[in-house]
Amino acid sequence: MRWFNRRSRADDSTIPTKLDREANRDDLAALADFVSSRQGVEFYLEPETTATDTTVVAIAHDGEWIRRRTGSPRTAAKLAHRHAVPLYEAARTGYPERMRAWNRAHPERRAR
């Protein structure tokens, strides 16, 4: 008897719904613009989740940062290589202290 599981076996193959949009050219252009207009930029790769596509956080030397979708780790790596920017996995390295310091100095960014 299947008392505790009311879903049929056909429902077990359901793919989770993506709640967010896919990466687009504007996202990649925003990252490229950030790199070209700031010094000492590093990329931090964030993996895809059920709510968000693969993202990159670009952090400048002073801690200013932006987060944009890239669609895949491969696309992020190509963008980093094209702009000669180091690419780190955020899950392994964490984010630099300068980013947290910049966030504390600019609380207006948290309202977004």
Side-chain angles (χ1 to χ4, degrees), residues 8-110:
S8 69
R9 290 216 180 253
D11 290 343
D12 290 343
S13 63
T14 305
I15 298 172
T17 303
K18 298 250 326 173
L19 302 176
D20 204 13
R21 67 175 177 79
E22 298 289 324
N24 60 37
R25 289 182 182 163
D26 293 338
D27 294 322
L28 300 178
L31 288 167
D33 290 345
F34 189 85
V35 169
S36 64
S37 64
R38 288 158 180 91
Q39 296 177 347
V41 176
E42 298 172 334
F43 283 174
Y44 290 82
L45 181 69
E46 299 173 324
E48 178 179 344
T49 67
T50 57
T52 305
D53 205 357
T54 302
T55 55
V56 164
V57 178
I59 306 173
H61 78 285
D62 62 354
E64 183 181 3
W65 61 276
I66 64 167
R67 175 181 284 120
R68 295 292 184 270
R69 294 162 187 83
T70 59
S72 72
R74 179 175 287 181
T75 302
K78 286 180 183 179
L79 187 64
H81 184 263
R82 184 178 309 130
H83 294 285
V85 172
L87 176 66
Y88 304 105
E89 289 184 47
R92 290 185 180 197
T93 63
Y95 301 101
E97 177 57 35
R98 67 181 184 273
M99 179 184 174
R100 289 185 284 280
W102 194 87
N103 285 340
R104 286 189 298 270
H106 297 87
E108 69 278 1
R109 283 280 300 260
R110 290 187 206 153

